[in-house]
Amino acid sequence: MTVEQHWPCEQCGADLRFSPGDTALKCDHCGHTQIVPAAPPARISPLEELDLLSGLKDGLAPADMEDVRITPCPSCGAQVEFKGATHATECPFCATPVALGTGTQRLIKPQALIPFALDERQGRDAMVKWLGNLWFAPGGLVEYARKGRALNGIYVPYWTFDAASRSRYQGQRGDHYYETRTVTVVENGKNVQRQEQVQKTRWSRASGWVSRRFDDVLVLASQSLPRRYTENLAPWDLGALIPYSADFMAGFSAEGYTVGLSDGQVIARQIMDAQIRDDVRRDIGGDEQQIDELNTALSAQTFKHILLPVWMAAYKYNGKTYRFVVNGQTGRVQGERPYSAWKIAFAVIAAAIIIGTIVYLSQTQ
């Protein structure tokens, strides 16, 4: 679900917009600037963490929750949120008109966000450069993206999970060693004996404990964008997180989460389990490792609901829609891979000519 709020200019009444990379709201109409109240640096004033078990049991305090009005987009299924007197808007993911439906949902409020560091022009420049560096990308699409509609700035929802783990394992350690053996091979029609080294593995039992403190395991809380795109926008500098303030929403949309806390925790646990298994293998040592039994206990489990900045664009080119996302903090780009049929055909023809020339020259020598 997405929401776009409005901040009126105190001089002319037009909408203010947060200026990426700055600490101010600016009016595009009259140029008036309004300073955003400074938030305490995250490293000095720790961000609020919520108890995971309370969140999973719907036991959070009322101050940590909010009621929202939502309607699913009839085209792409994204959940669009409405605020105030707004009754119609445009889906930021596919530009389909959406009208207010009925019903509300009670959701967990965001605790923190990373403000946009790149403005729309910088986001577009990063996307056009990325497209231009792709092999076989249609030149027309690159030019269209350069001159096309403005990118949408969206704060995308994520969960972060913290936990302390202690794991007991049993397994086996494999150490390589080599034996020399004599083999018979055929050379020039004759049997010839040779010696060769053969790798073997000596296995021994292994057991022990490993511990790890997980901090801010990041899980996408949206289903509106392909996960492979948003995951590849990493890394994010989560040290830049600041306490949530609605002022940073000015001029931008914010998507509500559609991956619930319980589902997000399952994904986070998979990430943690993979890291724990890596820790166990390192603890076992040797050249190979086998884990036979692994039991993990988690404690001090907390979570945050955070918003991360993403510039997004969707372009239709030759009857097909291409979507691109830009990390609003770093400028990293991901998107659907476009191909130019004529560029591919030209490359195939050119390769065939080169191969034919090489074959011809080799036959004439």
Side-chain angles (χ1 to χ4, degrees):
M1 78 199 106
T2 58
V3 57
E4 183 169 354
Q5 296 176 297
H6 299 275
W7 281 253
C9 173
E10 59 188 21
Q11 286 194 359
C12 71
D15 285 343
L16 294 171
R17 173 183 291 272
F18 171 68
S19 177
D22 203 348
T23 57
L25 302 177
K26 292 185 178 180
C27 178
D28 294 335
H29 182 70
C30 71
H32 174 67
T33 298
Q34 181 174 317
I35 302 300
V36 175
R43 291 187 177 90
I44 297 176
S45 178
L47 297 172
E48 180 185 6
E49 298 280 351
L50 301 179
D51 180 69
L52 178 60
L53 296 182
S54 297
L56 293 174
K57 295 178 180 179
D58 295 325
L60 296 177
D64 296 322
M65 308 295 292
E66 62 180 348
D67 292 317
V68 295
R69 299 182 297 158
I70 60 172
T71 298
C73 171
S75 179
C76 71
Q79 297 291 312
V80 180
E81 180 180 346
F82 292 81
K83 288 283 188 179
T86 302
H87 289 80
T89 187
E90 184 180 86
C91 175
F93 297 96
C94 66
T96 299
V98 180
L100 176 63
T102 59
T104 63
Q105 284 192 16
R106 190 157 179 78
L107 301 178
I108 300 171
K109 290 181 179 179
Q111 279 87 50
L113 59 79
I114 293 179
F116 275 86
L118 276 65
D119 60 24
E120 195 273 341
R121 179 187 58 79
Q122 292 170 318
R124 178 186 297 278
D125 289 346
M127 182 187 66
V128 170
K129 181 179 179 180
W130 179 80
L131 280 170
N133 289 335
L134 293 179
W135 284 84
F136 304 124
L141 176 60
V142 178
E143 187 63 22
Y144 180 79
R146 182 180 290 112
K147 298 180 180 179
R149 61 184 294 173
L151 277 64
N152 288 316
I154 300 175
Y155 282 98
V156 176
Y158 282 79
W159 302 110
T160 70
F161 295 90
D162 296 353
S165 70
R166 183 163 171 78
S167 305
R168 169 73 174 174
Y169 70 85
Q170 293 186 9
Q172 300 181 58
R173 168 178 173 148
D175 293 291
H176 294 164
Y177 66 97
Y178 295 87
E179 291 184 349
T180 302
R181 70 178 181 183
T182 302
V183 296
T184 301
V185 297
V186 178
E187 288 186 0
N188 299 323
K190 297 181 179 181
N191 291 331
V192 178
Q193 288 189 330
R194 282 186 176 178
Q195 290 186 331
E196 65 179 15
Q197 295 289 100
V198 180
Q199 177 183 293
K200 293 192 174 184
T201 304
R202 182 180 295 108
W203 291 96
S204 58
R205 298 294 301 173
S207 63
W209 293 85
V210 295
S211 299
R212 174 174 283 271
R213 174 70 191 182
F214 291 96
D215 182 44
D216 286 343
V217 175
L218 193 64
V219 175
L220 175 68
S222 169
Q223 295 175 323
S224 303
L225 293 171
R227 187 173 295 274
R228 65 184 183 277
Y229 296 165
T230 50
E231 286 182 348
N232 288 331
L233 290 180
W236 296 89
D237 177 14
L238 297 184
L241 281 167
I242 61 173
Y244 174 82
S245 169
D247 288 328
F248 293 99
M249 302 292 109
F252 297 94
S253 297
E255 184 189 6
Y257 60 84
T258 51
V259 175
L261 179 62
S262 178
D263 291 335
Q265 191 265 344
V266 170
I267 297 172
R269 183 60 191 267
Q270 293 171 350
I271 296 171
M272 294 179 189
D273 286 346
Q275 181 62 65
I276 291 171
R277 295 184 73 87
D278 286 343
D279 291 345
V280 169
R281 292 188 182 95
R282 281 192 292 271
D283 198 62
I284 292 175
D287 299 304
E288 297 183 45
Q289 304 83 32
Q290 180 175 313
I291 302 173
D292 298 324
E293 185 177 344
L294 179 60
N295 297 300
T296 297
L298 297 180
S299 60
Q301 297 185 75
T302 60
F303 76 95
K304 294 191 301 292
H305 170 28
I306 67 172
L307 302 176
L308 300 183
V310 173
W311 288 107
M312 194 189 75
Y315 299 110
K316 280 192 174 181
Y317 183 76
N318 287 342
K320 183 176 180 180
T321 300
Y322 297 92
R323 291 194 296 177
F324 308 98
V325 288
V326 183
N327 183 318
Q329 183 188 39
T330 67
R332 186 177 176 87
V333 183
Q334 292 293 312
E336 288 163 299
R337 180 70 164 86
Y339 292 93
S340 169
W342 77 264
K343 285 185 178 181
I344 295 174
F346 179 80
V348 171
I349 293 172
I353 293 173
I354 293 173
I355 293 173
T357 301
I358 294 174
V359 172
Y360 172 79
L361 292 175
S362 65
Q363 291 176 343
T364 57
Q365 289 179 351

